[in-house]
Amino acid sequence: MLDESLLDTPEALSEADRRGLLRGAAEAGARVRTAARHAAEAGVNDLKPDGRPRAVLIAGPGAAATCAADLLGTLAGAGSPVTRLAPTGVAPAGGALRWELPGWAGSVDLLLIATPDGTEPGLSLLADQAYRRGCTVVAVAPASTPLSEAVEGAHGLFVPMATAPYDEQDTPLTASAPGVLWALLTPLLAILDRTGLLTAPPDTLEKIADRLDHIAERCGPAIATYSNPAKTLAAELFDALPVIWTEGTSAGPAGRRFAAALAELSGRPAVVSELPEALAAHNALLSGRLAAGADPDDFFRDRVEEPPALHARVVLLRDRPIGGLTAAPAARELALGHDTPISELEPEDGGEIETLAELIAVTDFAAVYLALASGA
C-alpha cells in the first residue's frame, strides 16, 4: 500500500532520497542555467557554421541520450534528420558498449555525443572514427575524462557537463535522473540553435529555466499532495499500470521520457502511444484483464497475502493539438467506457520548448515520488 504520509512529510522524503533525485528535479532550472553558461564559455554562441548539417547523429548510453535524441528530433522537425546511434555490446556497461557511424556519414554530418560518464572507450573510439570520416564532433560530458581528450584530439568541440556537488559520488549518475537530462540536453539545444535546426537562443534557455523553477515550486516536497500535481499523479499510479497517451508534437517525447523514468527510477512498467493511434492500439488492453472493471472483487483472493491486481490507468499528456483538432474526448470516452480512470496533464501557454519542459518536469517529479514511496 502507498504510504501517503511519506509523500506529505518532506523530512521523510529527504531521508528516503538516497540518490538525490528530488534535488535533481528541484534544481533542474539551475542546471539549465549552468549548462547554458558552460556552452557559452566553450564558444557555442560564437559558432558560425556553414549551413545546416545533412544529418545529426547522437550517441550516448542510457535513457538520457535516448531522450535527448527523441526531443531534438521532434524539435528539429524535417530540417535535418536526427538519428540516435544505438550501441552494441556484450553487456549493458559503459566499457562494453560500442558505437559505429553509418556507412554514409561524412564531412557534411554532425555527431553529438552526450554522456554523464565520459569514460566509455566506445565513445572515444567513435570520436576518432568521426574525425577520420570528416564529421564535425561535439560532446557534452564531465570534464577531465578520456572522452574530453578524445574530442580534443578529433578537433571537435567539448562542453563540460553541468554537475552539482552531490553528483561527485562513487556511484554512477542515474541516466533518467532529472538533473542529468537537462545538463546534457541544454548545450545540445544551443548547438542546434547555431546550426539553424531549431530555435533555442539564450533567452529561450532562460525561459526554460524559469518554467522549470515554476514547476519546482508547484511540485516540490513541501507542497501537500492535494495541491501538488506530481504527488497526486504518483499516488494515482501507485497500484496501476500507466497507459500513457500523448497528444501534440511536444507531448510525444515527454510521454516516452515518462515511461523510461518510471522504469529506471521506480521499477514500474508503462506503455505509451500517441493519439489518435493509441485508441486502436490500446483498445484491447483496456478491454482485457488490465481494465479497472475486470474482476473487481475476486471472492477467492487472499486479501492479506496477495497484492491487489494491477489495473490500467490512462495518463493523458496534452500539448496544443495542431489545427485545434483533438482526440481527447474520444480518449476519455474509451477509458471511462472500460471503467478505466484517467489522469490529465496540460502545460500552461508558452513556446514549444517551454511546454515540453513543463510536461517533462511534472512527470519527472511524479516518477521520483513514486520511486521514493515504493522504496525503490
Side-chain angles (χ1 to χ4, degrees):
M1 296 295 292
L2 172 66
D3 184 0
E4 295 187 7
S5 64
L6 173 66
L7 290 180
D8 285 329
T9 309
E11 296 79 8
L13 286 171
S14 178
E15 183 177 347
D17 188 18
R18 295 180 295 274
R19 292 176 287 176
L21 299 176
L22 270 179
R23 285 185 297 186
E27 297 173 3
R31 195 74 68 110
V32 168
R33 295 186 183 92
T34 303
R37 186 176 70 252
H38 285 186
E41 292 172 351
V44 170
N45 297 343
D46 298 325
L47 293 177
K48 297 180 181 179
D50 297 327
R52 295 182 174 186
R54 178 182 62 178
V56 177
L57 307 171
I58 300 181
T66 302
C67 182
D70 191 9
L71 293 170
L72 295 176
T74 299
L75 294 171
S80 287
V82 177
T83 303
R84 175 180 176 258
L85 301 180
T88 59
V90 297
L97 299 179
R98 293 293 182 268
W99 289 262
E100 291 288 336
L101 290 175
W104 48 262
S107 59
V108 293
D109 302 310
L110 171 62
L111 172 64
L112 303 177
I113 300 176
T115 173
D117 187 345
T119 64
E120 303 94 341
L123 290 178
S124 296
L125 292 173
L126 180 66
D128 180 66
Q129 182 186 11
Y131 173 63
R132 288 186 275 108
R133 295 273 200 95
C135 289
T136 301
V137 182
V138 178
V140 183
S144 303
T145 56
L147 180 60
S148 66
E149 299 174 3
V151 172
E152 182 179 354
H155 301 285
L157 176 65
F158 180 80
V159 180
M161 176 181 166
T163 58
Y166 53 85
D167 289 339
E168 305 298 329
Q169 301 171 348
D170 294 332
T171 56
L173 293 172
T174 304
S176 288
V180 172
L181 172 65
W182 292 109
L184 296 177
L185 180 63
T186 302
L188 302 183
L189 288 171
I191 287 286
L192 294 193
D193 173 73
R194 298 305 299 168
T195 64
L197 291 183
L198 50 80
T199 303
D203 63 325
T204 296
L205 298 181
E206 184 61 32
K207 290 180 180 178
I208 295 172
D210 291 341
R211 182 67 66 99
L212 293 173
D213 287 344
H214 175 61
I215 297 303
E217 293 175 356
R218 291 179 56 205
C219 299
I223 306 302
T225 299
Y226 69 85
S227 59
N228 187 321
K231 287 184 179 180
T232 298
L233 182 58
E236 291 170 344
L237 293 179
F238 187 78
D239 286 323
L241 171 68
V243 178
I244 304 168
W245 291 348
T246 66
E247 183 174 56
T249 303
S250 297
R256 292 185 285 274
R257 156 75 180 180
F258 187 29
L262 285 171
E264 184 168 352
L265 300 183
S266 62
R268 298 302 182 100
V271 293
V272 59
S273 183
E274 297 187 19
L275 292 174
E277 289 88 350
L279 301 179
H282 291 163
N283 182 48
L285 185 152
L286 297 185
S287 302
R289 292 183 303 167
L290 293 174
D295 193 19
D297 190 14
D298 182 356
F299 179 81
F300 295 102
R301 180 172 64 85
D302 187 332
R303 287 159 180 76
V304 176
E305 298 295 335
E306 296 182 25
L310 189 68
H311 293 309
R313 185 182 187 98
V314 171
V315 180
L316 178 57
L317 305 182
R318 299 185 65 211
D319 196 6
R320 296 176 301 279
I322 298 175
L325 298 175
T326 175
R332 298 184 189 104
E333 182 178 356
L334 176 63
L336 298 178
H338 291 297
D339 295 325
T340 300
I342 184 168
S343 304
E344 298 190 36
L345 291 178
E346 187 170 349
E348 299 177 3
D349 291 339
E352 183 178 20
I353 305 181
E354 292 175 69
T355 57
L356 176 58
E358 178 173 337
L359 287 175
I360 291 175
V362 175
T363 51
D364 273 353
F365 266 107
V368 170
Y369 285 128
L370 191 54
L372 300 182
S374 303

